[in-house]
Amino acid sequence: MLRFAQSTEPAQAHLPEMPSDPMRSSARRLLKRSALTMAVLLLAACASTESNKVKGDQTQVSQSAEAAFPIAKTSYFAEAKVEPTILLNRLTWGANASSLQQMNALGMDAYLRQQLQARSAQLPAAVQEQIAQMTISQKPFEQMMLDLEAQRKAAAAVKGTDDSLNKAYQQELTRMAREAATRSLLRYTYSSNQLLEQMDWFWMNHFNVSIRKENLRAMVGDFDERAIRPHALGNFKDLLRASLAHPAMLRYLDNEHNAVGKINENYARELMELHTMGVGSGYTQADVQELARVLTGIGMRWRLEKRRGNEGNLPLGPYQLAVMDTKRHDFGDKVILGVTIKGSGPAEVEQVLDLLVRQPATARFISKKMALYFVSDTPSEALVEQMAQRFLQTRGDIPSVLKTMFDSQEFIASLGKKFKDPMHYVISSVRMAYDDKLIVNTGPMLNWLNTLGQTPNGHLTPDGYPLNEVAWSSPAQMTSRFDVAKLIARGAPNLFKPESDDGKNEALNQQARELAKPSLAQSTFVKQWSQQFSGNSREAMSQAASAQEWNAYFLSTPEMMRR
């Protein structure tokens, strides 16, 4: 069970006194509003300046190659005199007093080893119970999809005469997607295994499937739960295999329409271009076409009962709805990257996955993407090559590759400089503002993410959301972030009320308003950390006339924009 830190609030907040004279008060309010606007511009400019400098519940996780490739005990960060908070901001979704206490209890290097070897997500009991009550937690995925398919067919049968069934069907799909997004946000915000949670998001983005297509709103939760999350800190080939066989991927990239004589190359192309080797890495159009032939017949069946032996469906992975239909599969031999793949059905898939994972291009592509996410927009070739060699030596052991990256001087030099994407900004702000207060409604967070352009699982194309700074640091983005900062600064009561609440219970409203008051200005942890901020940031915060303004300024500093 996750332990929360004891209160760190001092007896009194160190805030400017409020004026008492009415006229002076009015004048000062006007001045402060101007100062607020100037501060926004100042802090955004600071962020832009920094940008230019930088440009130079108990989810089980699979056993990886840890036993074969143990993570060595080191004292690297301690010897390098790394400041713990700044390291926490990179390894977690955002440092707060609780996570600092957790790191200090172990030491920085031991904390990293623990995070790399995480095998379960430890959550507060109330959060775990909230997740357990969700439909996606209680109803088996296969049965849920079959029920929804029956609902879709019933709605289609009366299309044009009664659209109420289709409306109900669409609302149910949306509810499933919202449950999946809520579960992820709760885990990202409260799990003690923060590195696992970051890698879960990283791989969900790498193997992006979009909720904007057909019925993927109902599939994305299971795709995360059974295909991505169990392997997020495991072995890359296991992860690749699990993503390939999941119905969400097969539908998103149209492989369910890929059959002998009617080749659909969509998935084959993205498998090589986005999931493994990377564009321009040496494969040819002929390789894509041959890979598409390997994938022929892999799709879904919409019933659970066992098929008769002569029907030719072969199970593919643990998902009962995913199969290889041998009647639609091309059993001819294929040649991919110069290697002959004998036509044999599902065994071809295993052989070609092994071939792709063994490619040096795959090792470099995956390593560079990890370095983009954790180090900088322009990681050095030397670091990427070092990580790629570790990838090849360990046959794709993800923790080993990450450890190689974390152990580099380049990683230490990058701490505090990586620009946060909206997901990092929103979660880190909530973690900082509320720490051990447990939110019961992620609706406001989802709204903020929508406003900032990073709707969970909402990216339409298979390349996923960008990982570089320029994608998220425009003036419009900074203005929107400051709006989010102001909303958190003044308190967002809906975070602490059930989504179903109608707002008529005044006692509940009052309780939510009290819980929603962020304690940033009173937090010893926040004040100590902010003393390390730049002079411009501390000067801007010193101009605050109230706790709310101080909170807003703090959440708008360049230091809060970076990790």
Side-chain angles (χ1 to χ4, degrees), residues 272 277 282-284 287 290 335-340 355-356 359:
M272 300 188 91
M277 297 177 64
Y283 64 85
T284 65
D287 290 321
E290 290 291 271
V335 178
I336 301 175
L337 302 174
V339 176
T340 299
L355 176 64
L356 289 173
Q359 296 301 309

Side-chain angles (χ1 to χ4, degrees), residues 178 426 441-450 492-496:
R178 193 176 178 88
V426 168
N441 177 10
T442 60
M445 296 174 71
L446 292 170
N447 291 338
W448 300 333
L449 288 168
N450 292 340
N494 285 343
L495 287 169
F496 298 95

